[in-house]
């Protein structure tokens, strides 16, 4: 039997929340519940009880379901130590280097400031899953509301040495528009061209593009590729630093 599983739950207009279930202990967590109703429906369909609510950052579309789920199930709330002032009623906080547990599933915590100053992400090797919130997206990254390009580049680089097969569960279904933008940065990238066709096919059938795989992101996501010489050449920025190139890509995406 697999150690656990991840259930993808669409919510709000384009958010994703995730149920993570440890099969050995039967402990279940929800990550970034933007609203409660779809989570409750998924739990009832599975016949599961909710034990833990986990937040990556304070934005309302990631914590909006917290209160209702905690009241209904008596679940504990875990979130970033750096955002205690902005996420109410956390029972436990964590930061870089800490370990979190969903039953027997052990998760590693990353501090990934950029989108928000206190944003964190979680990697659970037993289910080969990275829960990146709004730091890393499929073919994109979060807007820099509270951080600098240097911070976000450093944050994203923390993910690059995870196993190639890591499944990336991000906060939003932004992949199709991210793909259109990525092609403006690397129009001749054959892996990106093929991926864009796959994404268009999935969205035409109203299917999620999430999770994505880390090795595919490393080959196609311009925000992870700011130190690639061919990408720098495309931008007319050969010889400039990855942070400078990342900042230019982010600026272009903001205006795309």
């Amino acid at each position: 039997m697999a150690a656990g599983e991840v259930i993808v739950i669409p919510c709000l207009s384009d958010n994703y929340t995730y149920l993570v279930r440890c099969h050995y202990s039967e402990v279940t967590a929800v990550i970034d519940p933007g609203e409660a109703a779809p989570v409750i429906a998924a739990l009832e369909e599975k016949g599961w009880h909710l034990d833990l609510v986990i937040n990556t950052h304070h934005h309302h579309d990631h914590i909006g379901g917290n209160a209702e789920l905690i009241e209904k199930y008596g679940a504990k709330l875990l979130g970033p130590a750096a955002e205690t002032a902005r996420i109410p009623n956390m029972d436990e906080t964590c930061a870089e280097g800490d370990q979190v547990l969903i039953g027997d599933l052990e998760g590693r915590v990353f501090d990934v400031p950029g989108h928000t100053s206190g944003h964190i992400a979680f990697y659970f090797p037993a289910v080969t899953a990275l829960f990146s919130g709004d730091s890393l997206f499929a073919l994109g990254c979060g807007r820099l509301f509270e951080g600098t390009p240097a911070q976000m580049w450093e944050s994203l680089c923390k993910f690059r040495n995870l196993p190639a097969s890591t499944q990336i569960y991000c906060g939003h279904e932004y992949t199709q528009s991210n793909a259109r933008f990525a092609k403006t940065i690397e129009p001749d990238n054959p892996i990106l061209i093929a991926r864009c066709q796959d994404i268009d096919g999935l969205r035409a059938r109203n299917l999620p593009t999430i999770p994505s795989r880390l090795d595919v992101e490393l080959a196609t996501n311009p925000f992870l590729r700011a130190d690639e010489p061919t990408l720098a050449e495309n931008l007319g920025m050969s010889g400039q630093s990855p942070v400078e190139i990342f900042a230019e890509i982010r600026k272009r995406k903001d205006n795309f």
Side-chain angles (χ1 to χ4, degrees), residues 54-100:
I54 298 175
N55 295 152
T56 62
H57 66 293
H58 70 86
H59 286 160
H60 186 73
D61 61 332
H62 290 252
I63 71 170
N66 283 4
E68 185 176 344
L69 292 170
I70 290 166
E71 181 178 3
K72 181 174 178 64
Y73 296 102
K76 299 294 185 182
L77 178 59
L78 168 70
E83 300 204 348
T84 52
R86 301 193 286 184
I87 300 177
N89 303 317
M90 285 193 285
D91 298 291
E92 186 178 350
T93 63
C94 58
E96 177 100 20
D98 288 342
Q99 181 188 81
V100 300

Side-chain angles (χ1 to χ4, degrees), residues 6-209:
V6 180
I7 305 295
V8 180
I9 304 173
C11 65
L12 301 173
S13 61
D14 56 23
N15 278 72
Y16 287 120
T17 185
Y18 303 102
L19 289 179
V20 185
R21 171 81 162 179
C22 172
H23 287 318
Y24 301 129
S25 65
E26 300 187 345
V27 169
T28 304
V30 64
I31 296 178
D32 285 350
E35 59 178 333
V39 178
I40 293 168
L43 288 165
E44 290 181 349
E45 181 181 343
K46 290 285 189 179
W48 294 347
H49 177 80
L50 184 67
D51 303 284
L52 183 64
V53 178
I54 298 175
N55 295 152
T56 62
H57 66 293
H58 70 86
H59 286 160
H60 186 73
D61 61 332
H62 290 252
I63 71 170
N66 283 4
E68 185 176 344
L69 292 170
I70 290 166
E71 181 178 3
K72 181 174 178 64
Y73 296 102
K76 299 294 185 182
L77 178 59
L78 168 70
E83 300 204 348
T84 52
R86 301 193 286 184
I87 300 177
N89 303 317
M90 285 193 285
D91 298 291
E92 186 178 350
T93 63
C94 58
E96 177 100 20
D98 288 342
Q99 181 188 81
V100 300
L101 294 174
I102 300 175
D104 297 330
L105 304 179
E106 298 179 356
R108 172 183 170 192
V109 181
F110 296 92
D111 286 339
V112 286
H115 183 66
T116 70
S117 58
H119 201 302
I120 57 176
F122 301 89
Y123 172 61
F124 286 87
V127 287
T128 327
L130 173 68
F131 298 96
S132 58
D134 286 359
S135 58
L136 177 64
F137 292 131
L139 283 171
C141 77
R143 286 180 179 266
L144 306 186
F145 290 128
E146 299 176 10
T148 65
Q151 283 180 309
M152 185 62 109
W153 173 246
E154 182 181 357
S155 293
L156 296 180
C157 284
K158 293 179 179 182
F159 302 144
R160 299 204 301 178
N161 291 324
L162 293 174
S165 60
T166 298
Q167 302 290 302
I168 299 166
Y169 295 89
C170 63
H172 291 271
E173 182 58 72
Y174 290 163
T175 315
Q176 197 167 35
S177 64
N178 287 346
R180 288 194 292 269
F181 172 74
K183 284 196 292 186
T184 71
I185 303 296
E186 290 193 286
D188 300 320
N189 182 332
I191 305 173
L192 175 60
I193 293 167
R195 186 179 182 191
C196 290
Q197 293 173 343
D198 292 341
I199 289 163
D200 288 342
L202 289 169
R203 296 310 294 157
R205 301 193 302 277
N206 200 32
L207 295 174
T209 62

